[in-house]
């Protein structure tokens, strides 16, 4: 039962490879209990020879019944495979929810503009925001192709006029620019919208 429960969990999250979906496992550790149409009775009838001979499992998806015939060794093999797959999912989730990915998610686009809107953040919050942004630049932006930064202040400020190719030098330059920003710069009510429009004005930008 625990084997079937683990298989359901993996199937829900899309693990189809390596024959570890519920239907794939059931087909390897047993055989489906079949029904056939009996003309004289005018209805489908299930075979009865397997009743009591094998443990049976009924799937929730379509109600199919499987007679389980596998030896203990094969069951334990699938338990090991499923536990290994679950461990991979755990590692993936830990990675997805760590460091800059916990705040920004995973950046998948190759050409992006990050719009900075600090509002009226206190100095300590301002520095925390810059720490987080520095982290995403060093950890994730370094992996893509092009980027730019735009600060949504009363006088809109851009790190570069257009998206710039990513390199260690440009990422370091962007981090330095970020930490030179003046916390006291005034913010207008329309600065965020203006910064977004400016970001979308670069046709190369995908996000």
């Amino acid at each position: 039962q625990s084997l079937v429960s683990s298989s359901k969990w993996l199937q829900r999250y899309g693990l189809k490879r390596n024959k570890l979906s519920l239907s794939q496992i059931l087909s390897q550790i047993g055989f489906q209990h079949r029904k056939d149409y009996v003309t004289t009775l005018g209805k489908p009838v299930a075979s009865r020879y397997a009743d009591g001979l094998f443990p049976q499992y009924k799937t929730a998806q379509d109600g199919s019944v499987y007679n389980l015939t596998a030896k203990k060794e094969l069951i334990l093999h699938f338990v090991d495979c499923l536990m290994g797959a679950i461990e991979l999912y755990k590692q993936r989730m830990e990675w997805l929810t760590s460091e800059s990915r916990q705040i920004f998610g995973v950046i998948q686009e190759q050409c992006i503009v990050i719009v900075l809107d600090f509002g009226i953040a206190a100095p300590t919050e301002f520095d925390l925001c810059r720490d987080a942004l520095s982290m995403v630049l060093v950890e994730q932006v370094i992996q893509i192709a092009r980027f730019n930064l735009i600060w949504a202040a009363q006088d809109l400020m851009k790190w570069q006029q257009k998206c710039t190719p990513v390199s260690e030098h440009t990422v370091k330059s962007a981090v330095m620019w970020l930490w030179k920003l003046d916390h006291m710069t005034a913010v207008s009510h329309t600065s965020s919208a203006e910064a977004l429009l400016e970001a979308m004005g670069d046709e190369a930008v995908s996000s």
Side-chain angles (χ1 to χ4, degrees):
Q1 186 65 36
S2 62
L3 172 68
V4 171
S5 298
S6 297
S7 178
K8 280 182 177 179
W9 185 87
L10 288 166
Q11 186 179 42
R12 179 182 175 188
Y13 287 94
L15 188 70
K16 297 295 185 181
R17 62 180 184 275
N18 299 328
K19 296 185 177 180
L20 290 181
S21 71
L22 178 59
S23 60
Q24 288 169 333
I25 288 178
L26 287 172
S27 66
Q28 293 174 83
I29 64 175
F31 61 93
Q32 191 170 349
H33 196 71
R34 297 289 184 183
K35 287 185 177 182
D36 204 354
Y37 187 82
V38 178
T39 306
T40 54
L41 297 176
K43 63 180 181 179
V45 177
S47 61
R48 296 186 178 220
Y49 78 93
D51 291 350
L53 291 177
F54 308 105
Q56 292 184 326
Y57 179 78
K58 184 176 182 180
T59 66
Q61 290 88 339
D62 59 6
S64 300
V65 176
Y66 283 81
N67 299 305
L68 307 181
T69 60
K71 293 183 179 180
K72 182 179 179 180
E73 291 77 12
L74 182 57
I75 298 290
L76 292 176
H77 165 71
F78 279 113
V79 169
D80 289 340
C81 291
L82 288 166
M83 294 306 293
I86 290 172
E87 183 59 33
L88 288 175
Y89 271 118
K90 288 181 179 178
Q91 292 174 15
R92 176 68 174 171
M93 288 304 299
E94 288 173 3
W95 181 82
L96 285 171
T97 55
S98 65
E99 301 177 329
S100 65
R101 291 172 292 273
Q102 187 173 13
I103 304 171
F104 293 91
V106 179
I107 297 175
Q108 298 179 323
E109 296 81 6
Q110 287 300 303
C111 183
I112 69 167
V113 173
I114 299 178
V115 174
L116 317 177
D117 182 2
F118 299 116
I120 54 173
T124 52
E125 294 172 339
F126 185 58
D127 287 345
L128 283 173
C129 290
R130 292 195 289 186
D131 277 331
L133 286 162
S134 298
M135 191 185 301
V136 81
L137 288 168
V138 171
E139 291 178 358
Q140 295 200 60
V141 172
I142 194 68
Q143 306 291 333
I144 65 174
R146 302 171 71 86
F147 77 110
N148 198 5
L149 305 176
I150 298 179
W151 189 15
Q154 185 169 3
D155 295 320
L156 185 144
M157 294 177 63
K158 300 170 72 173
W159 170 61
Q160 300 290 335
Q161 287 305 307
K162 293 284 186 180
C163 276
T164 299
V166 169
S167 68
E168 288 187 15
H169 171 73
T170 55
V171 168
K172 184 177 180 180
S173 171
V175 172
M176 291 176 63
W177 178 84
L178 181 62
W179 283 94
K180 288 179 180 178
L181 295 177
D182 182 5
H183 172 253
M184 299 305 294
T185 300
V187 178
S188 72
H189 295 298
T190 60
S191 57
S192 297
E194 290 169 358
L196 287 170
L197 288 171
E198 185 68 24
M200 292 187 293
D202 188 339
E203 294 181 357
V205 172
S206 54
S207 178

